[in-house]
Amino acid sequence: VQLEASKHPICFDFETTGEFCQNGGRIRCIGFYANKKSIVVPAEMKGFYELMVKFLNMDIPKIAFNSIFESRWCLDIWETAPKNLKL
């Protein structure tokens, strides 16, 4: 999925260790889906932090299965909420 080239809303979903950031939890990977294409990005990937900053600030509409959960993680780690998140 080429995030910046998508003309469709991008769905995303975090997979975590089960605890919130404040309790020692961490994001393990993030799945992205747009226009019948998907990709899973491991959090250990080089450039992951920068990729997420770019994604979160893009104007493209975003959809999350549990938007409150994803938004909380975004605020805790990247100090920003996903721009244009459809609730």
Side-chain angles (χ1 to χ4, degrees):
V1 176
Q2 292 183 332
L3 301 177
E4 59 276 342
S6 181
K7 295 178 183 172
H8 302 275
I10 297 176
C11 301
F12 69 105
D13 184 45
F14 295 159
E15 296 303 326
T16 69
T17 56
E19 296 286 334
F20 279 108
C21 191
Q22 296 84 352
N23 298 329
R26 63 182 181 82
I27 294 174
R28 298 179 65 170
C29 63
I30 299 179
F32 294 98
Y33 175 86
N35 194 28
K36 300 181 183 179
K37 295 180 183 176
S38 61
I39 188 170
V40 175
V41 178
E44 294 84 20
M45 179 188 84
K46 183 179 179 182
F48 176 77
Y49 184 90
E50 294 79 9
L51 169 77
M52 288 306 300
V53 169
K54 181 177 180 178
F55 169 70
L56 295 172
N57 289 295
M58 293 170 64
D59 288 326
I60 293 171
K62 297 167 190 69
I63 301 168
F65 175 72
N66 184 348
S67 59
I68 294 172
F69 180 82
E70 268 73 18
S71 292
R72 180 172 174 181
W73 274 97
C74 292
L75 290 168
D76 287 345
I77 296 177
W78 297 283
E79 298 179 350
T80 188
K83 185 176 182 179
N84 208 6
L85 179 64
K86 304 300 181 189
L87 302 177

